[in-house]
Amino acid sequence: MMGLLNWLLKGRGHGVEELARRLGIEEPRLRRIEPDYRSFTVPKRSGGERRILAPEPELKQVQRRILRRVLGRLKSHPAAMGFERGRSIVTNARPHAGQAVVLRFDLVDFFPSTGTGRMRDYFRRIGWNRPAAALLVRLSTHEGGLPQGAPTSPRLSNLVNYRLDARLAGIATRLGGSYTRYADDITISLAHDVPAKIRFVRRQVRHIVEAQGYRVHTRKKLSIRRRHQRQSVTGLVVNERVRLPRETRRWLRAVEHRLQRDRRGPLDGHWPSSGRFPKRPTLTRAQLEGWRALQAMIQSQAGDEP
């Protein structure tokens, strides 16, 4: 009788006691942890500011344990390329290389719009009872959504959006194209430039993302790029194969040239401010090594010869 009553009150699945055991934290302490965050802003590359919610040390430690011990072995959709082991901006761009048309959509307030209701349903679906799911939601969400700055947010955003990715990938496959998502950046490419198919993709993307609680940016013009235009995905050009933009490659060659000159000693006592080379490079050698590593990753993951 007590077991039936407990099931009616708490539902099926693992309870808070099991959650505390997996996290290696005593249950009373786990229940007492306050979801405290520090709020600050950082500039966006596209302009404006991005709000960051950084968890306080105790909460951050618990979130890291949730990430490793609760979420670590769960599977995201193969098209989710951000924040996943073995996936990157290169694997996000690669399926779209050499396509006739590339469509990109940007979602508004992606992390905050991933709501607590969806998170609670997800935790219940993967086997936690109602009290444990509620505690997991309390420890991993803030102000009604995923806090951008919490260690758990990127992974959770992929896991909870499996259905979103599956539906959009299905549409792309049906049209003979490819689909990937890198956080809030959705890309669908098509092998043939057919206006009716492009209109269909635009309608379906808006419908599907709205069904999951998101909105497509309307202030930003939808990016539709054809073969005669530069087609870029997560900052990489994909017209023929995955590469850094031409101006970036030229700039890096200029930096390399400057560093080689420094090793040999100056030829004329100054660095040209115009003409073939840009103004004096400001990269340190360590930063240049980072760019070299990025180029090597692009060559490796894109399947190019070094």
Side-chain angles (χ1 to χ4, degrees), residues 175-221:
L175 298 176
S178 298
Y179 162 78
T180 60
R181 180 180 59 81
Y182 197 100
D184 59 354
D185 192 350
I186 288 173
T187 306
I188 293 179
S189 59
L190 304 174
H192 303 286
D193 186 358
V194 180
K197 288 186 177 181
I198 294 173
R199 291 193 296 270
F200 176 77
V201 168
R202 294 177 64 177
R203 289 196 304 269
Q204 289 299 308
V205 168
R206 291 182 185 277
H207 171 72
I208 290 170
V209 302
E210 287 173 5
Q212 299 300 315
Y214 300 115
R215 289 184 298 118
V216 175
H217 263 295
T218 55
R219 287 180 299 174
K220 296 183 178 180
K221 186 177 180 181

Side-chain angles (χ1 to χ4, degrees), residues 9-21:
L9 290 174
K10 298 182 178 181
R12 300 177 62 179
H14 300 300
V16 175
E17 182 180 358
E18 172 62 14
L19 178 61
R21 186 192 68 79

Side-chain angles (χ1 to χ4, degrees), residues 239-257:
N239 287 69
E240 297 177 1
R241 62 182 188 274
V242 180
R243 304 183 72 182
L244 285 171
R246 180 180 298 173
E247 62 271 19
T248 303
R249 299 196 308 271
R250 288 177 174 173
W251 172 70
L252 286 171
R253 284 197 297 268
V255 173
E256 294 273 12
H257 176 86

Side-chain angles (χ1 to χ4, degrees), residues 63-93:
Q63 289 174 339
R64 284 175 171 166
R65 293 192 184 191
I66 292 173
L67 180 62
R68 294 194 306 269
R69 303 182 186 187
V70 176
L71 309 176
R73 295 186 179 182
L74 301 175
K75 290 185 178 180
S76 62
H77 193 276
M81 296 296 176
F83 324 117
E84 296 290 333
R85 188 184 300 275
R87 306 178 201 174
S88 67
I89 61 171
V90 183
T91 59
N92 184 60

